[in-house]
Amino acid sequence: MWASWKSAFAATPFVAKTLLNATPNLFPQQTRTTIILERVYPIRLHKKGSGERRMEKKDFIYKRVDKDKKKQAPLSIILTQYVEGVGEKGDKVNMKRQKAYTHFLLPGLAVYASPENMKKYYIEQDDQKTNSSLYAPNTVKVLSRCCLIVNLSVDNPWTIEKWHVRANFRKMNVFVTDDAITLPEKPISGPNLDYEGKEFYITLTINKTETVKVRCKIHHDTFIYSKELPLVPEYWKIPGKAIFEEDQEILDSLPRPKWEDTMTVKD
């Protein structure tokens, strides 16, 4: 008897009564799970006086009916601070409701565009001059971490001009105009192998508003294989000396690429 009772007790799952499983659901959420279906093939009626027709496989094929389903209109919100790629503080933005609620309203980055909030938070575009465009801050951030290699001839004399910088930026898929480039006040001329691997900085103007300093590194290049100088691997990680000593402090203050901390230098 003891053995049978013991086996029965072991087979019965034991559930401890706790506050969580003893308390009923205090926050019931309404779920809309009703789906309207209709038959793809209409059922044929049986003749009067005859027996019921046996249903076939095609009689159980259905399709969903969404005739009454309406697409939700986008939600209007007002940004309470600058959001990169979205807008400035005080901008009125329309977006999907779920995205607006999850990523903007809950974190406190925006408020509903109600009449009261429109008077309190909305700012006319002509009154805000923080950035020239939505993407200008991100452009400044990317360019400030850039290390531009300026390829110069080892055979022919040269003096760095704006077109040198513009051409080497184009290799990085960055297109700038000469008006946006500000070179150092002192000219840099060569070829001079003492400048190999040394750095200087230029200033770029974005949309005639934002300015950013960009690190540049000199590399002598040639079409003659015997005179070719190899480019140092992972040159962006190696702190270089400034061509002009007075620029060293500014170059040291410029940020390096984000991923340099995650990369390891091989011996």
Side-chain angles (χ1 to χ4, degrees):
M1 180 178 179
W2 169 255
S4 61
W5 180 85
K6 185 177 180 180
S7 60
F9 180 79
T12 303
F14 176 74
V15 180
K17 286 188 176 181
T18 62
L19 182 62
L20 292 178
N21 57 27
T23 305
N25 187 6
L26 300 179
F27 304 100
Q29 296 291 334
Q30 181 183 4
T31 57
R32 299 178 181 179
T33 56
T34 303
I35 300 176
I36 303 175
L37 303 176
E38 68 177 4
R39 297 183 187 273
V40 177
Y41 304 100
I43 298 179
R44 293 182 299 171
L45 301 177
H46 58 275
K47 295 182 180 180
K48 185 177 181 180
S50 62
E52 295 184 0
R53 187 183 67 85
R54 188 173 182 178
M55 300 184 69
E56 302 176 3
K57 290 183 178 180
K58 67 177 184 178
D59 296 329
F60 297 96
I61 301 177
Y62 302 91
K63 65 179 180 180
R64 185 170 178 173
V65 180
D66 293 330
K67 295 181 180 179
D68 298 331
K69 186 177 180 180
K70 296 181 180 179
K71 188 176 180 180
Q72 290 185 337
L75 183 65
S76 298
I77 58 176
I78 303 174
L79 299 179
T80 57
Q81 64 185 56
Y82 168 76
V83 180
E84 183 177 327
V86 179
E88 297 279 352
K89 178 180 178 181
D91 280 353
K92 183 180 178 182
V93 184
N94 298 326
M95 61 179 60
K96 292 183 178 180
R97 294 177 176 269
Q98 185 63 34
K99 181 180 179 181
Y101 182 76
T102 305
H103 299 287
F104 293 90
L105 295 175
L106 282 181
L109 301 178
V111 295
Y112 289 104
S114 62
E116 295 79 8
N117 290 335
M118 288 289 292
K119 296 179 181 179
K120 185 176 180 180
Y121 296 101
Y122 181 67
I123 302 175
E124 294 289 343
Q125 294 184 358
D126 296 338
D127 299 336
Q128 49 188 1
K129 302 291 183 180
T130 307
N131 299 305
S132 59
S133 70
L134 294 178
Y135 305 101
N138 190 41
T139 304
V140 171
K141 183 178 179 181
V142 172
L143 291 176
S144 65
R145 296 180 178 274
C146 172
C147 183
L148 178 67
I149 286 291
V150 181
N151 291 305
L152 299 165
S153 175
V154 75
D155 303 314
N156 303 316
W158 47 261
T159 299
I160 291 182
E161 299 179 10
K162 292 183 178 181
W163 70 266
H164 291 101
V165 177
R166 173 166 46 83
N168 285 277
F169 261 125
R170 191 165 58 244
K171 296 178 182 178
M172 301 175 60
N173 291 329
V174 178
F175 299 90
V176 297
T177 60
D178 291 346
D179 297 338
I181 301 173
T182 303
L183 296 175
E185 296 180 358
K186 298 180 181 179
I188 303 175
S189 302
N192 188 348
L193 295 182
D194 293 337
Y195 290 164
E196 178 65 23
K198 289 190 175 181
E199 299 179 350
F200 65 97
Y201 74 90
I202 62 171
T203 304
L204 292 182
T205 304
I206 302 172
N207 298 332
K208 299 181 180 180
T209 305
E210 294 86 0
T211 59
V212 56
K213 293 181 175 61
V214 181
R215 184 195 311 273
C216 300
K217 191 183 289 284
I218 290 180
H219 176 63
H220 291 81
D221 200 0
T222 180
F223 292 103
I224 303 175
Y225 182 76
S226 59
K227 294 183 179 181
E228 186 176 357
L229 298 176
L231 186 63
V232 178
E234 299 181 353
Y235 58 87
W236 57 87
K237 298 174 60 176
I238 303 175
K241 293 184 179 180
I243 296 177
F244 308 115
E245 294 182 359
E246 59 270 20
D247 295 341
Q248 188 66 53
E249 184 177 356
I250 297 177
L251 290 170
D252 293 339
S253 65
L254 295 179
R256 295 280 179 177
K258 281 185 176 181
W259 27 267
E260 70 169 338
D261 297 332
T262 60
M263 300 175 66
T264 56
V265 180
K266 297 182 180 179
D267 297 333

